[in-house]
Amino acid sequence: MTDDPRHAVDTAPEPPAARKGFFSKVKRALFMTHTEILENLGNAVKKGLGIDETVLETLEETLLSADVGAETAAALTEAVRQRADRSERKDLAALRSMLLAEIEEILAGAPRAPDERRDEALHVLFLVGVNGTGKTTTTAKLAAREKAAGRTVLLAAADTFRAGAIDQLQTWADRLGLDVVRHREGADPSAVLYDALSAAKARGVRTLLVDTAGRLHTKKNLMDELAKMRRVAGREVPGAPHETLLVLDATTGVNGLEQAKRFVDAAGATGVVLTKLDGSARGGIVLAIYRALKLPVIYVGVGEAIDDLVPFDPSEYARALLGDE
Ligand code: GDP
């Protein structure tokens, strides 16, 4: 089996049928954003005279409410203004294709998921982020993918502070037929990690997924705790954690990105999982993430079920957001 070149955790490329399914899932998840953008622009174009100032203002406002971020909204609007000045066609279809071209340009320059093949015996992956974003659920979804790819998987319930997080992970693990290394609630997360690393090494496990805390109940600083966990992992397994995925909730929008930066700086996040895209009209946040965090989006969460995790594909994203009509 070959490794998926887009992401170190994946193996075989998705078969065509599965990829089509993924595209439709992303498209469904982006439906609210997609509809809102096109409706607003359609109404503005109808009212105005082609792509005039009113339309451009509406474009900027619409991009802002889709959460692409203020700077990106301004830059995209200016770029479309320039394209419109040079273009004969000033209808909605023209506006859409100008915007699509600009978004594709941003995506082309966006940070890429690591494409090196993983050859380490044990791949250690941390999931970090604030509570409620979907860390535990995403841990389970990733575990299911790993298992389906034929790898042995172990889970570490290192979110020892959120009530119910350990049992939640255990429930998923039971369904998947996987083991969880767990301590009691409130236990030292680094101690859980240490035990999980030892168990993973002893059993020859290929992938260790570590669900971490989003908030600590002690006076301890979360970022210090995550830094400590990184040191523990690196001491026990060379190069670990090999990946640290920052889980972000699309419904929180750009306001969450300031806080997210701390996870990049202090917790060493290497990529983003964007969850709850299915419940949000803020699908533009992918663009804001690139600008603010300089991290690739690796997966998007499109629902609560175990298979509602989609490997992120920038060109599919652009098409689902604006094109493909
Ligand atoms: P944690 O505190 O970060 O571990 O968050 P949880 O994994 O407990 O998730 C919080 C809630 O978000 C749960 O009800 C999940 O079912 C839900 N959730 C997680 N990911 C998604 C997603 O992609 N879409 C939707 N609609 N809900 C999600």
Side-chain angles (χ1 to χ4, degrees), residues 131-137 141 162 168 276 278 301-304:
N131 279 353
T133 51
K135 274 188 309 299
T136 306
T137 311
K141 288 173 174 175
R162 179 168 70 78
Q168 192 184 333
K276 308 185 197 177
D278 52 308
V302 294
E304 294 185 271

Side-chain angles (χ1 to χ4, degrees), residues 201-268:
K201 283 191 289 184
R203 298 182 202 176
V205 158
R206 286 294 306 279
T207 305
L208 174 64
L209 299 174
V210 184
D211 186 20
T212 66
R215 197 155 61 85
L216 299 182
H217 288 184
T218 57
K219 292 233 156 53
K220 270 200 202 158
N221 179 287
L222 174 62
M223 297 304 155
D224 290 346
E225 184 60 41
L226 290 172
K228 181 176 160 195
M229 290 174 73
R230 294 179 65 76
R231 286 196 300 277
V232 169
R235 213 163 47 218
E236 297 304 313
V237 176
H242 306 91
E243 275 186 276
T244 299
L245 295 183
L246 171 59
V247 181
L248 293 177
D249 177 344
T251 60
T252 310
V254 283
N255 296 335
L257 292 184
E258 265 314 305
Q259 194 179 19
K261 273 187 199 154
R262 299 181 54 216
F263 283 95
V264 182
D265 298 338

Side-chain angles (χ1 to χ4, degrees), residues 103-286:
I103 289 177
E104 278 173 342
E105 222 173 284
I106 294 181
L107 292 171
R112 293 269 154 218
D115 60 359
E116 76 270 18
R117 293 166 69 111
R118 50 180 285 197
D119 48 12
E120 66 273 358
L122 168 60
H123 188 79
V124 180
L125 189 151
F126 282 12
L127 288 109
V128 301
V130 297
N131 279 353
T133 51
K135 274 188 309 299
T136 306
T137 311
T138 304
T139 307
K141 288 173 174 175
L142 282 174
R145 291 185 65 87
E146 285 293 279
K147 193 182 169 200
R151 295 217 181 88
T152 43
V153 188
L154 185 64
L155 302 175
D159 183 356
T160 54
F161 290 98
R162 179 168 70 78
I166 301 171
D167 288 339
Q168 192 184 333
L169 193 63
Q170 184 76 60
T171 304
W172 280 114
D174 290 346
R175 272 186 227 163
L176 293 166
L178 297 173
D179 286 342
V180 181
V181 173
R182 55 182 291 177
H183 290 189
R184 60 182 165 70
E185 210 168 294
D188 176 6
S190 288
V192 179
L193 173 65
Y194 182 85
D195 282 357
L197 291 162
S198 306
K201 283 191 289 184
R203 298 182 202 176
V205 158
R206 286 294 306 279
T207 305
L208 174 64
L209 299 174
V210 184
D211 186 20
T212 66
R215 197 155 61 85
L216 299 182
H217 288 184
T218 57
K219 292 233 156 53
K220 270 200 202 158
N221 179 287
L222 174 62
M223 297 304 155
D224 290 346
E225 184 60 41
L226 290 172
K228 181 176 160 195
M229 290 174 73
R230 294 179 65 76
R231 286 196 300 277
V232 169
R235 213 163 47 218
E236 297 304 313
V237 176
H242 306 91
E243 275 186 276
T244 299
L245 295 183
L246 171 59
V247 181
L248 293 177
D249 177 344
T251 60
T252 310
V254 283
N255 296 335
L257 292 184
E258 265 314 305
Q259 194 179 19
K261 273 187 199 154
R262 299 181 54 216
F263 283 95
V264 182
D265 298 338
T270 54
V272 168
V273 179
L274 184 61
T275 59
K276 308 185 197 177
L277 204 56
D278 52 308
S280 168
R282 294 166 159 180
I285 194 172
V286 170

Side-chain angles (χ1 to χ4, degrees), residues 89-101:
R89 285 184 52 213
K90 315 246 183 206
D91 56 3
L92 179 62
L95 177 59
R96 192 173 73 210
S97 65
M98 290 173 201
L99 187 56
L100 185 62

